[in-house]
Amino acid sequence: MLYSQVLATGGFVPVNAIANSYFDYLVEDADEWIRSRTGIRERRFASATESTSDLATSAAKDALQKGKIDPLSIDCIIVATSTPDMILPATACMVQKNIGAANAFAFDMNAVCSSFIYAVETADNFIRSGKYGKVLVIGADTYSKILDMQDKTSCPLFGDGAGALILGSTQEKKGILQSIVKSDGNGWELIQVPSSGSRKPITAETIAAKENTFKMAGKSVFIFATDVIPQIIGEVTAKAGIRPDQLDHIIPHQANVRIIDFISKKTGINKDRFLLNLDRYGNTAAASVGLALDENVTSGKIKPGHLVLIMGFGGGLSWGGILIQF
């Protein structure tokens, strides 16, 4: 029986910190308005010359350095993103070149803000098959590039960043123990960029109508998130044969602190067990879980033996959770 153990984590955020006051042009006293509704104080925006592959490359190099891992030993690279450098080729192939992982095959995965969870699930199955020994997963997004900066309901929520995870094969029962991934296409319209592909190609008219920017039905997404997160916690722990109160930490998708407050009350799990960084980075989409994971592994808050549940939810609709023993 093979398992996928965590060999290393990495993370990267752009240097450009954007305080809530940046959005004073949208709403009076933007800092209080945003913090009271989301818990976000600031976020990072990529520069005009920084792309998703740049952020992903930096996070990957960070993980390789921390784990003292030779890039040539990587068998597969998965970049989880919904803001690729371009529609083709895969952003993962650019990262492969940048880090010198010549022996890997590389591809992108898009499940919007669940992308990192889907990618880790895929990497785990690759390793459990016995065909691949090391897989690099990177969640990276630059939502600042696709936001409508006049939409106060969405543009203050998001930031840019990247989080990386390197998984390796082991026969010891640790690492990824259980997982679930799910989707419901009936809700695809709730989170979208309407003019961004073959359904409605980008034209001067769609740009003028801002249909090439991010759109979200916020209230419906809140209801969806507060419904599926308790399900994730219950289903994954039940499959693992443990109680939710045996989890040392939970790393949720970093979307809104109100969602976490609601889940804490609904499940009875103390909020202290939820590891958050959204106050500093906002919603970094596919990067959020990997970035928070790296911060807490690097700081030593996550220790050997700890049981950690990582969770994501997002467009598609999509959601999932993965239980990791460190």
Side-chain angles (χ1 to χ4, degrees), residues 30-176:
D31 182 52
E32 192 280 331
W33 191 85
I34 295 167
R35 276 192 297 108
S36 65
R37 287 164 173 77
T38 67
I40 298 168
R41 291 188 292 107
E42 65 178 24
R43 73 287 293 142
R44 304 295 181 94
F45 281 177
S47 71
T49 58
E50 281 181 308
S51 66
T52 296
S53 68
D54 294 323
L55 275 57
T57 296
S58 294
K61 287 181 176 179
D62 186 41
L64 290 166
Q65 182 179 15
K66 287 174 179 171
K68 297 181 172 59
I69 295 168
D70 183 351
L72 294 175
S73 72
I74 300 295
D75 298 308
C76 173
I77 301 167
I78 309 173
V79 170
T81 186
S82 50
T83 53
D85 278 31
M86 52 189 72
I87 196 167
L88 58 91
T91 300
C93 292
M94 303 175 190
V95 175
Q96 179 194 21
K97 175 190 174 183
N98 294 343
I99 66 174
N103 296 320
F105 67 99
F107 64 97
D108 292 354
M109 179 164 287
N110 180 5
V112 197
C113 294
S114 304
S115 297
F116 186 78
I117 300 299
Y118 272 51
V120 173
E121 167 74 357
T122 302
D124 178 44
N125 281 285
F126 279 169
I127 290 171
R128 285 176 183 262
S129 76
K131 292 183 69 175
Y132 308 105
K134 286 192 184 76
V135 181
L136 167 61
V137 176
I138 311 158
D141 269 311
T142 51
Y143 265 52
S144 66
K145 310 282 188 177
I146 63 169
L147 295 173
D148 175 358
M149 287 300 181
Q150 298 300 318
D151 180 5
K152 71 178 182 181
T153 66
S154 64
C155 72
L157 303 180
F158 291 90
D160 304 335
L165 174 66
I166 301 176
L167 295 172
S169 176
T170 181
Q171 291 184 323
E172 187 178 351
K173 189 177 181 181
K174 66 176 185 178
I176 296 176

Side-chain angles (χ1 to χ4, degrees), residues 20 27 62 83 130 137 216 218 232 255 263 269 306 311 317:
N20 285 341
V27 60
D62 186 41
T83 53
V137 176
M216 178 172 66
I232 294 169
I263 299 306
I269 298 173
H306 275 182
M311 303 187 299
L317 294 167

